[in-house]
Amino acid sequence: MESAKTRWYKDAVVYQIYPRSFADSNGDGIGDLRGIIGKLDYLQKLGITAVWLSPCYKSPNADNGYDISDYRDIMDEFGTLDDWKEMIAGMHERGIRLIMDLVVNHTSDEHEWFKQSRSSVDNPYRDYYIWRKGRGKNGKRPPNNWTSRFGGTAWEYDETTKEWYLHLFNTKQPDLNWDNPKVRKEVADIVKYWLDLGVDGFRCDVITYISKNVLEGGKLPNGKFNPIQQGDEHFTHGPHIHEYLRELNVNVLEHYDSMTVGEAQGVTIEQGLLYTDESRRELDTIFQFEAMEADCWNQIPTTFRLPKLKKIFGRWQTGLFGKSWNSLFWENHDQPRALGRFTGDYGEYRKEAAKMLAVATHMQQGTPYVYQGEEIGMTNYPFKSLDEMDDVLVKTIRKMGLFKALPFHNTILLKVMQRRARDHARTPMQWSAGNNAGFTEGEKPWFVINPNYTTINVQEALADPDSIFYFYQKLIGLRKDPKIAPILKNGTYKEYYPKHKDIYVYERSFEGKRLLVVCNFKNKTVPFVVPNEIAYVGTEQVVSNYSDSRLGNVDLRPYEAFVYLLK
Ligand code: GLC
Ligand code: CA
């Protein structure tokens, strides 16, 4: 059959919703689908053309929905399938497509398949998961040395059958066995079920982990020593991954006008191309996280360095050019807020800094993603103690006592998490200066609300013509502007001053039309010299975050950013 793909995602701007923290409609303190329905006009006003919805399926919430117990139904706290249908209809009416989260590396341990699977060694579902005998005399040592991404061994002993199951994340997230054709068929059926309900695409959770390196006789080899992620080389981009992804695409996805974006931690450009080169028919796009490492190493915070970030951006911009397509983002539900992280101490320049960051990515080639709250410049939460944090990752590390060997281990862990915790992105959306930031009319939101909601909130942003919100609206609008959109979509990428440690300058060029993008990442004035190549050409301002920006040899003001069309 012919592929039905129009590759609409190349013109899209996607807004990510983390439903638990977006908007609560019934006062129980938990965001829900009717809450989203109530905010569709807001999303339309922002101008985004697609939503990526983090998981809303049935789940015991060991990892806030990333542990699914029924793939075909909605989590009770979020509403019903009818609410969901109303939500997607409301999106489609407004020209907004819906990308659902597809979490199929693992299920919840409360999924019916796993309940069956763990019940006996000859249950028909046994092979849906990855079970092995333990090592040592009584099999009481895990089958190999792989570690969970959340810390500790990746294996859990199960008393009923006296074997171990693999879980690359929490013990309540057993990994599916993709080598079993029945599992692949189940996944294909789930994907088809949602596509038939009108879904437009999928964000594929930790998709690079689905194929494990199984040796003759079923053995899973030990990984080389790595204090943080052991075993990685045996399950990231595993032996059959490309075959399985192509199978899913060719059999199901490409018969719909759908798109996929795969979460691909630690991927190189070469690997990225294997996943997304259009001729290979696997995934459409991926998220790569290299840029997220410009201020940390293996989750350990380091000093942010702009030249490192620019190099990463440049490599991906040129590396995928003409072959596949980038995903552009600063934030998601697993990352701390970008403000402060990539802009240092922004002080009174929060708005300028937030707008500058938006310019830096939105003018690149690829599909921009905006994470809820980013469009109003939400910031990290001032956590004072580890007890305030909700994330299963933090809880697991604490339970395991991973840092115990270090003096002041709790202080160190707190320091690390104050910068790195995923919780920063998960505090409720700040809608107004009213009670509970307008997130819930109930008494108690499920999670702490950032005390700065009295000044940073949607109500304030909508009332201020100079707000971050309207700036995003303008940038998003450029993707539909006949003069600018073709350059953004098709233009080449060229950088000026790549080694400069404070400013980021690049040019996009298409059919003789060029865009020059200038961003000052510093909280102070930085001199800028117009590159020789573009001196003496006619210019027209496209966007800027100061009312009187000028393209010339100027002192860029704190976080000043502008884009000019060169003629
Ligand atoms: C992805 C999700 C993250 C989740 C993990 C396990 O990385 O983005 O939130 O914890 O997968 O499903
Ligand atoms: Ca609710």
Side-chain angles (χ1 to χ4, degrees):
M1 215 209 278
E2 277 284 287
S3 166
K5 289 188 179 204
T6 62
R7 304 201 180 270
W8 54 266
Y9 55 86
K10 294 191 178 179
D11 302 298
V13 178
V14 185
Y15 187 88
Q16 186 193 347
I17 294 181
Y18 193 68
R20 204 175 183 76
S21 303
F22 190 61
D24 174 25
S25 71
N26 64 351
D28 67 354
I30 299 172
D32 48 55
L33 300 188
R34 302 213 71 81
I36 298 174
I37 293 172
K39 301 297 182 189
L40 292 179
D41 287 338
Y42 169 76
L43 296 180
Q44 187 178 27
K45 188 177 171 99
L46 182 57
I48 54 95
T49 54
V51 162
W52 152 25
L53 182 63
S54 277
C56 60
Y57 316 95
K58 283 232 180 323
S59 163
N61 282 309
D63 187 16
N64 284 352
Y66 282 89
D67 49 318
I68 298 170
S69 54
D70 181 352
Y71 285 93
R72 289 181 170 77
D73 206 351
I74 303 299
M75 190 189 301
D76 291 333
E77 292 164 329
F78 290 171
T80 63
L81 198 54
D82 281 334
D83 294 330
W84 182 89
K85 287 181 181 161
E86 193 179 322
M87 179 193 74
I88 189 175
M91 289 178 177
H92 285 167
E93 267 161 37
R94 291 168 178 81
I96 298 173
R97 288 181 159 96
L98 176 61
I99 299 169
M100 293 280 274
D101 220 305
L102 184 69
V103 188
V104 286
N105 171 68
H106 44 267
T107 70
S108 162
D109 66 338
E110 296 181 33
H111 192 291
E112 191 52 36
W113 301 336
F114 191 72
K115 289 189 196 160
Q116 295 279 339
S117 184
R118 80 184 333 171
S119 67
S120 80
V121 287
D122 38 43
N123 184 283
Y125 287 92
R126 185 65 170 182
D127 259 358
Y128 270 46
Y129 295 86
I130 302 172
W131 292 95
R132 292 293 184 274
K133 291 200 164 49
R135 289 177 296 179
K137 244 209 271 117
N138 304 318
K140 282 294 169 64
R141 277 172 52 227
N144 70 19
N145 70 358
W146 296 1
T147 53
S148 147
R149 304 308 70 182
F150 291 161
T153 172
W155 296 92
E156 182 75 0
Y157 184 70
D158 202 48
E159 209 35 75
T160 316
T161 56
K162 311 230 175 321
E163 287 189 0
W164 300 70
Y165 66 85
L166 180 73
H167 61 90
L168 293 180
F169 294 87
N170 187 252
T171 52
K172 284 184 70 62
Q173 295 168 296
D175 278 52
L176 281 165
N177 174 19
W178 274 68
D179 293 332
N180 181 348
K182 287 195 198 136
V183 167
R184 302 204 298 278
K185 177 73 171 56
E186 297 272 13
V187 172
D189 288 348
I190 291 165
V191 167
K192 188 163 183 323
Y193 169 85
W194 289 104
L195 287 168
D196 287 337
L197 283 174
V199 157
D200 303 286
F202 296 93
R203 176 265 186 186
C204 308
D205 189 64
V206 291
I207 200 70
T208 52
Y209 292 170
I210 58 173
S211 170
K212 278 80 176 172
N213 181 17
V214 185
L215 304 181
E216 288 273 313
K219 195 170 160 21
L220 294 163
N222 275 329
K224 20 176 223 287
F225 174 76
N226 179 326
I228 295 170
Q229 308 205 321
Q230 203 155 261
D232 222 80
E233 67 278 22
H234 296 299
F235 53 75
T236 311
H237 323 300
H240 299 288
I241 184 131
H242 297 293
E243 176 191 329
Y244 296 161
L245 289 176
R246 186 181 157 101
E247 180 183 281
L248 184 62
N249 193 11
V250 170
N251 288 345
V252 188
L253 283 156
E254 67 180 21
H255 303 301
Y256 296 78
D257 190 14
S258 67
M259 72 86 80
T260 49
V261 52
E263 186 192 20
Q265 285 279 1
V267 76
T268 62
I269 290 180
E270 292 68 34
Q271 289 157 341
L273 280 172
L274 292 180
Y275 287 115
T276 61
D277 186 319
E278 292 174 10
S279 64
R280 294 174 52 91
R281 299 161 79 187
E282 296 183 16
L283 296 168
D284 295 313
T285 54
I286 52 166
F287 288 122
Q288 50 83 11
F289 292 88
E290 261 194 88
M292 296 292 113
E293 282 156 27
D295 72 337
C296 63
W297 175 82
N298 265 323
Q299 303 292 319
I300 312 289
T302 56
T303 312
F304 166 59
R305 290 193 204 294
L306 182 62
K308 182 174 171 191
L309 180 73
K310 295 194 290 187
K311 204 163 151 193
I312 296 166
F313 280 155
R315 282 213 332 271
W316 283 90
Q317 283 294 298
T318 50
L320 299 194
F321 189 81
K323 300 184 191 123
S324 101
W325 194 252
N326 273 291
S327 307
L328 314 170
F329 69 98
W330 284 116
E331 297 185 353
N332 65 35
H333 65 292
D334 293 327
Q335 298 291 333
R337 295 287 181 179
L339 265 173
R341 187 175 171 192
F342 301 107
T343 53
D345 178 11
Y346 50 79
E348 65 195 282
Y349 297 105
R350 183 182 62 90
K351 290 187 180 178
E352 287 79 2
K355 293 174 185 176
M356 182 281 293
L357 286 179
V359 171
T361 49
H362 280 241
M363 294 298 108
Q364 295 181 23
Q365 186 183 53
T367 305
Y369 288 76
V370 180
Y371 179 67
Q372 65 185 43
E374 178 186 333
E375 79 281 16
I376 54 166
M378 278 177 64
T379 65
N380 280 348
Y381 184 87
F383 289 109
K384 297 263 169 348
S385 118
L386 292 167
D387 295 333
E388 287 175 292
M389 297 185 189
D390 167 77
D391 186 3
V392 58
L393 174 64
V394 176
K395 287 182 181 152
T396 313
I397 293 177
R398 291 182 75 187
K399 202 165 92 198
M400 310 260 333
L402 282 190
F403 282 62
K404 280 251 162 68
L406 304 171
F408 312 111
H409 57 94
N410 267 331
T411 318
I412 295 173
L413 184 58
L414 177 63
K415 279 253 170 313
V416 170
M417 287 304 165
Q418 278 168 335
R419 275 189 56 188
R420 296 293 314 153
R422 308 194 297 177
D423 286 311
H424 287 299
R426 300 177 179 184
T427 65
M429 178 75 181
Q430 294 161 206
W431 293 101
S432 74
N435 207 15
N436 285 326
F439 164 72
T440 174
E441 282 174 5
E443 268 167 36
K444 211 173 155 16
W446 77 275
F447 196 33
V448 288
I449 293 181
N450 197 313
N452 64 20
Y453 76 92
T454 50
T455 49
I456 302 175
N457 61 65
V458 169
Q459 196 181 32
E460 182 276 337
L462 292 179
D464 169 14
D466 197 32
S467 68
I468 301 166
F469 176 91
Y470 290 116
F471 195 82
Y472 267 84
Q473 187 189 55
K474 191 161 182 189
L475 289 180
I476 294 167
L478 293 178
R479 302 239 155 200
K480 299 170 197 148
D481 178 334
K483 221 164 50 177
I484 307 298
I487 315 176
L488 292 179
K489 185 172 178 180
N490 308 301
T492 53
Y493 173 94
K494 169 174 153 187
E495 215 184 307
Y496 295 101
Y497 311 122
K499 300 239 157 66
H500 199 298
K501 61 183 195 354
D502 298 328
I503 62 174
Y504 179 33
V505 183
Y506 64 93
E507 181 186 290
R508 303 289 315 279
S509 165
F510 179 62
E511 293 184 339
K513 301 225 173 57
R514 295 186 292 165
L515 286 173
L516 184 75
V517 182
V518 178
C519 296
N520 176 11
F521 271 70
K522 270 273 137 57
N523 57 1
K524 56 175 205 287
T525 309
V526 178
F528 169 70
V529 178
V530 178
N532 280 337
E533 292 93 320
I534 49 179
Y536 315 113
V537 297
T539 62
E540 179 189 324
Q541 193 185 91
V542 177
V543 67
S544 82
N545 65 352
Y546 279 76
S547 59
D548 53 351
S549 288
R550 192 170 70 78
L551 175 55
N553 297 337
V554 292
D555 280 341
L556 296 172
R557 288 157 289 184
Y559 305 110
E560 186 162 2
F562 48 73
V563 180
Y564 275 81
L565 186 63
L566 309 178
K567 302 191 269 206

